[in-house]
Amino acid sequence: MLKFTFLIRRTDGMSKEDFINYHRQHHAPLFMSIPESQKYVKKYVVSHPTEVAGFPAPQYDGVTDIYFSSMEDFNTFFSSENYKLKVHPDESNFFKLNEVVSLVCDEKIVVDVTIA
């Protein structure tokens, strides 16, 4: 499985709270609403950094992790009409498209302890 990580910065003038709310309450459901998400996406996670004393201030406002079984599934998803016409146009409403940092990872889980 391939993990695609996208580091994103909110648009100018958008508060941190509005950015998080938009990402979680609007964009993520929109992303999941297209049939291609059900078919090709294996896992979809949105995260937002928390400022903690003793750690540097976050350089990005959000992290999106999307897991696909293959590059073919990734390419099919992102070239689909639904993604291009419904999801992609929404992205510029809350993050700076020209400042996205992307990583493709082959994730190896070393330990996964679920807290009850």
Side-chain angles (χ1 to χ4, degrees):
M1 187 156 5
L2 295 172
K3 175 179 158 181
F4 296 81
T5 298
F6 304 94
L7 306 174
I8 58 178
R9 290 191 171 114
R10 67 183 181 264
T11 56
D12 293 333
M14 180 177 257
S15 72
K16 180 180 175 181
E17 294 76 23
D18 287 345
F19 170 80
I20 292 170
N21 184 56
Y22 195 94
H23 197 186
R24 290 181 178 169
Q25 304 304 321
H26 178 77
H27 188 74
L30 174 64
F31 181 95
M32 291 308 300
S33 74
I34 64 173
E36 291 81 1
S37 292
Q38 307 306 314
K39 185 172 183 179
Y40 298 108
V41 174
K42 300 305 178 193
K43 185 176 179 180
Y44 176 60
V45 180
V46 297
S47 304
H48 303 94
T50 301
E51 293 191 36
V52 176
F55 284 84
Q59 295 183 21
Y60 293 89
D61 298 301
V63 179
T64 300
D65 293 312
I66 310 171
Y67 295 71
F68 292 91
S69 293
S70 65
M71 278 304 299
E72 181 179 357
D73 286 357
F74 170 88
N75 290 328
T76 301
F77 177 85
F78 282 104
S79 64
S80 72
E81 288 295 313
N82 279 322
Y83 172 76
K84 291 193 285 188
L85 296 176
K86 296 178 181 177
V87 179
H88 181 61
D90 185 57
E91 294 169 350
S92 62
N93 290 330
F94 73 108
F95 70 86
K96 298 177 182 179
L97 294 173
N98 61 337
E99 294 186 20
V100 174
V101 173
S102 303
L103 302 169
V104 181
C105 302
D106 178 14
E107 183 176 81
K108 169 68 174 137
I109 298 172
V110 176
V111 66
D112 185 4
V113 179
T114 304
I115 300 173

